[in-house]
Amino acid sequence: MATFLYRLGRFAFRRRHFVALFWVALLALAGAGAAGAPAAGNSSFSIPGTEAQKAFDLLEERFPGSSADGATARVVFKAPDGQKMTDAGNKATVQDTVDALAGGSEVARVTDPYQGGGVSQDGGIAYASVTYEVSGMELEETSREALETAAQDARDAGLTVEIGGDALQAVPETGTAEIIGIGIAAIVLVITLGSLLAAGLPLLTAIVGVGIGVASITALASTLDLGSTTSILASMIGLAVGIDYALFVVSRYRAELAEGREREEAAGRAVGTAGSAVVFAGLTVVIALVGLSVVNIPMLTKMGIAAAATVAIAVLIALTLIPALLGYAGRRVRPAGEKSKLLGGGRGGEQKAQRPNMGTRWAGFVVRRPLAVLLLGVVGLGAAAIPAASLELGLPDDGSQPTSTTQRRGYDLLSEGFGPGFNGPLVVVVDAKDSDDPQVVFKQADEEIKGLDNVVDVAPAQPNKAGDTATITVIPDAKPSSVTTEDLVHDIRDAGAGIKADTDAEVLVTGATAMNIDVSQKLNDALVPYLVLVVGLAFLLLIVVFRSILVPLKAALGFLLSVLAALGAVVAVYQWGWLSGLMGVEETGPIMSMMPIFMVGVVFGLAMDYEVFLVTRIREAYVHGEKPRQAVVTGFRYSARVVTAAAVIMMAVFAGFIGSSDSMVRMIGFGLAVAVLFDAFVVRMAIVPAVLALLGTKAWWLPKWLDRALPNVDVEGESLSAHGDPKDEDKELVRV
């Protein structure tokens, strides 16, 4: 592989006009597709194989025209102090609002608060439910505007009016913090590479890669039902790895120049060595993201595949566009150790180069005290992971929105007037098609549910036209994300099992709350199989890369430590409320259900990035004859500075998304930033060299039969030592 990538790097350097034109054309094509595509909305959400989804599908079949998958809105009214919603003036205002809403072109139905029991007992609060014929993703902007206009008219009449539900669900915004993250990345690149031009190359190529990826996702959003969150997460991961991958190639190029090689040869060797590490690091990220499909939640699968495609683009750009741009830059990109005059180049450079750098001094300290460093790192991460034992999972609802939003204020008003459980009603679907007397079954189900604990109200069964299926609305006494409500869902299902045994009727629980509970359970059940699949595949891949058993095993165990510690930090902030003010957490509660499995996938891929980049340099020194401990020091001398810079950049990019308006994106941004902190600076920079120092030559042990069976991918570029400066490498590449 190193030889092929070496030729690819030389080809891209020499044929830079063609390579640059190709990527610019691809960016323009993707941009044109995105410009002409419908805007991304909120993708449809389904969880095949769960009871909530089965009940939802049954509703669509037995209650045609009910718009079971349509967008919904709850318009909540509060009377001024000293008045009630039943007063004539307020009642007239609400009636005008209901009439205005009912005239919408996409509105399926609107419930009148005064006819549907939508007024609180004290008369201070009322609500009207609006159901649309289309989903939130398909809802026209004119329908949203009509909803807001009707609410504003009622406000002008003197009422407090707020709107909940998914009809107003907006496309998430990442805010200015993302720009700050990119700014920090730029500063780190300038300090690391010592040149404004060299620092600009990784930023430019990362933006090109993310631009192609996000534009492609936008162009295909409507066709493939991709939600707006998909492009945000793809840009988050693509930007981070794009900068890192380009940084490693540029850094290696400067190191090759420092050894006296010509620029085209240096570009080829940089792609052949650092590029090999980029390929395998990228493969681990792609495996982790595509592996999310094993959960069998379409939305999560699409998010993973879209992000994986963006990572693949980042890899290809690092291998081709970076050497092409280095060809354009010429002598303006200086060898390692030299800085531009603007940044103080030429002042004491030789004396500084002779001194051991920070990476050398740190590695020397670790190999002298490996056991102490190992114990300190493991104990520290173990302590950080303790909160993860209290992890509670759920999905965000209007109650997790910022208090500045109308959705959150509507949620709070409903809780005030009708109780916290009113925001998460359970829909019980009774399928009595196979029973002898459906009406008796409906009554039995209604009575059994009323007898359960933690139930505030049970609406009478509403049968369909055929009379064989009915819905029963249940109001819990606790908020939707509480453990009490989850227990109630299980209690109803247990009662349904008894009804089925007696009458052959099936009782199913659905609704947004039940759907969230089923998602959490499904993700919990899938976590271990997903870990086995992803870690197993990456373990095999790393055996091929490092030709070792213990090094990949150490990498996997270190990843588990860092991801558990990161989950502990997420629980401490978002569930327990530690540093909540600093992080902008207005409402603590369960951790988003997708967070653990998504973080496992992404963090594993990123952790293997640092493992590959760092350990390949160590192995390179080892295979060239250095003793194990000296190889660790040598590897750190060449790679510690760059890995540190890459980690800081990735943390800055991820932390930038903490400013997003979407609670899921905020939580993922924080979790990934903390995970990179733990994995790069504790696991890879401390635990890895300590373990390698303790293992010595055993770290690189591989059974002889396995050594013969494995392909030699030559990530260290050992085969390149035989290369001179061939004149026609681009012709050989074309033949390959």
Side-chain angles (χ1 to χ4, degrees):
M1 174 176 282
T3 302
F4 172 78
L5 293 178
Y6 165 80
R7 293 172 178 171
L8 178 63
R10 288 178 62 96
F11 173 83
F13 187 95
R14 189 178 302 177
R15 298 289 186 265
R16 47 188 171 272
H17 300 312
F18 168 76
V19 173
L21 181 62
F22 170 80
W23 285 109
V24 170
L26 195 58
L27 178 61
L29 184 64
N42 301 295
S43 62
S44 57
F45 189 76
S46 63
I47 41 175
T50 61
E51 180 175 316
Q53 186 65 46
K54 182 180 179 181
F56 184 82
D57 296 339
L58 186 64
L59 281 174
E60 290 192 318
E61 176 189 341
R62 303 285 176 84
F63 292 83
S66 63
S67 302
D69 62 343
T72 59
R74 275 181 169 176
V75 183
V76 189
F77 307 89
K78 183 176 182 180
D81 292 340
Q83 298 182 26
K84 293 187 176 182
M85 291 306 304
T86 52
D87 294 346
N90 295 335
K91 194 172 181 179
T93 300
V94 172
Q95 190 61 56
D96 290 342
T97 305
V98 169
D99 292 342
L101 292 172
S105 59
E106 295 180 307
V107 173
R109 61 185 175 276
V110 181
T111 62
D112 188 322
Y114 303 102
Q115 297 178 7
V119 181
S120 62
Q121 288 185 353
D122 63 4
I125 296 174
Y127 75 93
S129 293
V130 186
T131 303
Y132 292 87
E133 296 174 346
V134 296
S135 66
M137 180 179 179
E138 301 166 323
L139 199 63
E140 295 284 346
E141 189 61 33
T142 53
S143 295
R144 292 191 176 94
E145 291 174 358
L147 178 61
E148 292 176 323
T149 299
Q152 186 58 48
D153 290 343
R155 292 189 189 105
D156 294 340
L159 297 178
T160 299
V161 186
E162 305 296 347
I163 306 171
D166 61 353
L168 289 185
Q169 198 164 15
V171 175
E173 297 177 356
T174 54
T176 57
E178 181 184 357
I179 299 175
I180 296 174
I182 296 175
I184 294 173
I187 295 171
V188 173
L189 285 170
V190 171
I191 294 173
T192 304
L193 298 177
S195 164
L196 292 174
L197 179 63
L201 294 181
L203 281 176
L204 175 62
T205 55
I207 291 171
V208 169
V210 169
I212 293 172
V214 172
S216 300
I217 292 170
T218 303
L220 298 171
S222 179
T223 304
L224 301 180
D225 190 24
L226 302 176
S228 54
T229 305
T230 303
S231 60
I232 292 178
L233 295 177
S235 66
M236 179 194 299
I237 297 168
L239 189 62
V241 301
I243 294 174
D244 279 7
Y245 294 165
L247 170 62
F248 278 97
V249 175
V250 173
S251 178
R252 186 60 184 252
Y253 170 77
R254 296 178 69 237
E256 296 293 337
L257 290 179
E259 293 182 11
R261 293 191 171 87
E262 293 297 324
R263 294 185 178 275
E264 183 178 332
E265 176 70 10
R269 288 180 177 268
V271 176
T273 52
S276 297
V278 166
V279 169
F280 282 97
L283 273 176
T284 58
V285 180
V286 169
I287 288 172
L289 291 170
V290 174
L292 291 170
S293 59
V294 303
V295 184
N296 195 27
I297 294 179
M299 185 180 76
L300 192 59
T301 300
K302 292 171 186 176
M303 286 167 54
I305 292 175
T310 308
V311 171
I313 292 171
V315 171
L316 293 174
I317 282 181
L319 299 179
T320 57
L321 186 56
I322 281 292
L325 294 179
L326 289 171
Y328 284 117
R331 297 184 179 278
R332 285 170 291 182
V333 175
R334 299 170 179 270
E338 292 187 20
K339 293 184 178 181
S340 64
K341 292 182 179 179
L342 182 64
L343 297 173
R347 296 196 295 268
E350 292 183 5
Q351 295 174 346
K352 186 176 180 180
Q354 295 173 356
R355 298 201 307 266
N357 61 19
M358 181 67 73
T360 303
R361 294 195 293 272
W362 170 251
F365 170 80
V366 174
V367 297
R368 289 194 301 271
R369 299 173 178 81
L371 189 58
V373 171
L374 176 62
L375 290 176
L376 185 62
V378 171
V379 171
L381 290 178
I386 290 174
S390 303
L391 178 68
E392 295 178 8
L393 298 179
L395 284 179
D397 54 22
D398 286 347
S400 61
Q401 297 274 1
T403 53
S404 59
T405 62
T406 186
Q407 292 96 328
R408 171 60 185 276
R409 292 195 294 264
Y411 179 98
D412 291 340
L413 283 178
L414 286 173
S415 296
E416 177 188 339
F418 301 91
F422 200 80
N423 283 292
L426 305 176
V427 180
V428 179
V429 183
V430 184
D431 179 8
K433 191 173 184 179
D434 297 329
S435 65
D436 297 331
D437 192 341
Q439 292 298 325
V440 173
V441 174
F442 300 156
K443 186 176 180 180
Q444 180 182 350
D446 188 86
E447 290 175 352
E448 291 208 20
I449 294 171
K450 286 180 178 177
L452 296 175
D453 294 334
N454 306 315
V455 173
V456 171
D457 186 37
V458 179
Q462 300 293 323
N464 62 349
K465 290 183 179 179
D468 58 5
T469 308
T471 60
I472 301 173
T473 302
V474 181
I475 305 299
D477 69 353
K479 64 181 183 178
S481 58
S482 68
V483 176
T484 303
T485 301
E486 182 177 349
D487 291 340
L488 176 59
V489 170
H490 294 309
D491 290 343
I492 295 173
R493 288 172 174 169
D494 291 341
I499 293 173
K500 182 176 178 60
D502 296 336
T503 65
D504 290 330
E506 194 165 16
V507 178
L508 306 171
V509 185
T510 188
T513 302
M515 192 81 78
N516 291 350
I517 291 169
D518 285 354
V519 169
S520 300
Q521 187 60 51
K522 187 163 189 174
L523 289 166
N524 276 338
D525 295 342
L527 185 58
V528 173
Y530 174 71
L531 267 174
V532 171
L533 173 68
V534 172
V535 176
L537 288 174
F539 180 76
L540 295 176
L541 184 66
L542 291 178
I543 289 177
V544 174
V545 174
F546 296 129
R547 308 193 77 77
S548 164
I549 297 294
L550 295 179
V551 170
L553 180 62
K554 162 197 60 65
L557 293 176
F559 149 74
L560 290 175
L561 272 175
S562 58
V563 79
L564 285 174
L567 276 175
V570 170
V571 170
V573 173
Y574 288 90
Q575 187 175 310
W576 291 0
W578 293 6
L579 302 178
S580 57
L582 182 63
M583 293 294 135
V585 181
E586 296 183 1
E587 183 75 19
T588 60
I591 304 304
M592 184 189 66
S593 300
M594 294 183 185
M595 184 68 185
I597 200 162
F598 189 83
M599 196 158 78
V600 163
V602 176
V603 173
F604 183 78
L606 300 181
M608 295 307 102
D609 277 3
Y610 300 123
E611 182 75 14
V612 170
F613 291 138
L614 187 63
V615 179
T616 48
R617 266 297 198 171
I618 296 173
R619 178 170 170 76
E620 186 177 339
Y622 177 75
V623 298
H624 284 97
E626 292 190 12
K627 293 183 179 180
R629 293 198 173 196
Q630 183 56 42
V632 171
V633 176
T634 301
F636 267 69
R637 180 169 72 245
Y638 289 114
S639 60
R641 178 184 177 90
V642 182
V643 169
T644 300
V648 172
I649 289 169
M650 199 168 281
M651 287 168 55
V653 172
F654 288 149
F657 287 84
I658 298 175
S660 171
S661 62
D662 186 274
S663 59
M664 180 174 73
V665 175
R666 285 200 307 269
M667 194 180 294
I668 289 177
F670 173 79
L672 293 182
V674 172
V676 170
L677 172 67
F678 288 151
D679 194 86
F681 293 104
V682 181
V683 175
R684 308 303 152 188
M685 287 292 180
I687 293 178
V688 165
V691 171
L692 291 177
L694 289 171
L695 291 175
T697 56
K698 295 177 183 177
W700 310 107
W701 171 80
L702 186 71
K704 292 183 178 179
W705 64 268
L706 185 56
D707 188 37
R708 291 191 297 268
L710 292 176
N712 184 12
V713 296
D714 189 23
V715 176
E716 300 82 13
E718 191 175 2
S719 61
L720 299 184
S721 59
H723 279 269
D725 292 287
K727 298 180 180 179
D728 299 315
E729 293 294 349
D730 54 330
K731 296 180 181 178
E732 293 182 37
L733 175 66
V734 172
R735 288 199 295 272
V736 171

